Amino acid sequence: MLLKKFALILLVIFTILACEEDKIIVPHQNESINKIVLNCTSLDSTESINIEYPLSKEITPPKLRANTTYTTRLYTYNVLADTIHDVTPQIELKKEANQFFYTPRSTSISVEYKDVDANEQPVGLETTLITTSVTQTQIEIQLIHHPVKSVDNNTISNPSAVGGTTDFKFELDLTIE
């Protein structure tokens, strides 16, 4: 009888211990980027324009001026139902592991890198955007994670040269007047 009570007590103890909450460690996952804002400021500082993707229905698409040089800053966000998380600081911390590419769909636009990582390789959060003539066009912005930045043909509009994985690829509509 004493043995049965002891076995019952052990069974209850093991059952209680088995029901404790497991501590699960989830590895860090890259955040989803589903919104970008490209801030364009003319060199003469007379205008600052935000170009967003996706474009909100309430916002009129912005217009850039022809024959103008802009400094740009790209901001990346993970937008959920009730929160907006700025992912840009994470990309800044891991500049060596990330590179943005800008592929204009018109010769009326050119883009040049302004920022580099610790190895003097391009990043693309900051660029110079130059407009030349009046047009309606697009520019594709793509983020590559773990690119091989040191390849010879690594240019701002050639993401296929560096390998890696695409974190996002968005097309921004541009009007140049």
Side-chain angles (χ1 to χ4, degrees):
M1 182 76 165
L2 185 61
L3 187 59
K4 286 184 180 180
K5 286 183 181 179
F6 181 72
L8 183 59
I9 291 172
L10 282 177
L11 180 64
V12 169
I13 290 173
F14 286 128
T15 303
I16 290 171
L17 289 175
C19 290
E20 282 188 21
E21 184 178 323
D22 290 333
K23 293 182 180 177
I24 300 171
I25 298 173
V26 179
H28 173 72
Q29 299 292 319
N30 284 339
E31 293 223 37
S32 172
I33 297 172
N34 54 15
K35 178 180 179 124
I36 60 173
V37 175
L38 183 65
N39 175 263
C40 303
T41 304
S42 62
L43 282 188
D44 62 7
S45 299
T46 58
E47 66 180 330
S48 181
I49 299 169
N50 284 333
I51 303 171
E52 297 184 19
Y53 181 91
L55 187 62
S56 169
K57 290 180 175 34
E58 297 83 38
I59 297 174
T60 304
K63 296 175 178 141
L64 299 175
R65 289 184 294 169
N67 301 308
T68 304
T69 301
Y70 295 90
T71 59
T72 71
R73 173 78 177 158
L74 185 66
Y75 298 93
T76 57
Y77 300 96
N78 180 9
V79 180
L80 303 172
D82 57 352
T83 56
I84 298 175
H85 184 250
D86 186 356
V87 183
T88 312
Q90 292 175 352
I91 295 170
E92 288 175 322
L93 286 174
K94 299 177 183 177
K95 287 181 178 181
E96 289 77 12
N98 294 289
Q99 185 174 354
F100 291 91
F101 291 86
Y102 296 78
T103 308
R105 302 294 185 222
S106 166
T107 57
S108 295
I109 303 168
S110 63
V111 185
E112 300 169 359
Y113 287 115
K114 282 186 63 178
D115 57 342
V116 293
D117 62 22
N119 300 314
E120 297 297 314
Q121 296 295 328
V123 178
L125 283 168
E126 297 176 11
T127 62
T128 299
L129 185 142
I130 302 164
T131 61
T132 55
S133 57
V134 174
T135 190
Q136 291 267 153
T137 189
Q138 294 85 31
I139 187 167
E140 179 183 277
I141 301 176
Q142 185 173 352
L143 173 59
I144 302 290
H145 192 65
H146 291 299
V148 180
K149 295 183 179 188
S150 59
V151 297
D152 288 337
N153 56 347
N154 180 2
T155 63
I156 199 160
S157 61
N158 188 12
S160 62
V162 298
T165 57
T166 300
D167 280 2
F168 74 75
K169 184 189 309 187
F170 297 131
E171 288 232 350
L172 299 178
D173 292 324
L174 298 178
T175 300
I176 302 171
E177 296 186 327

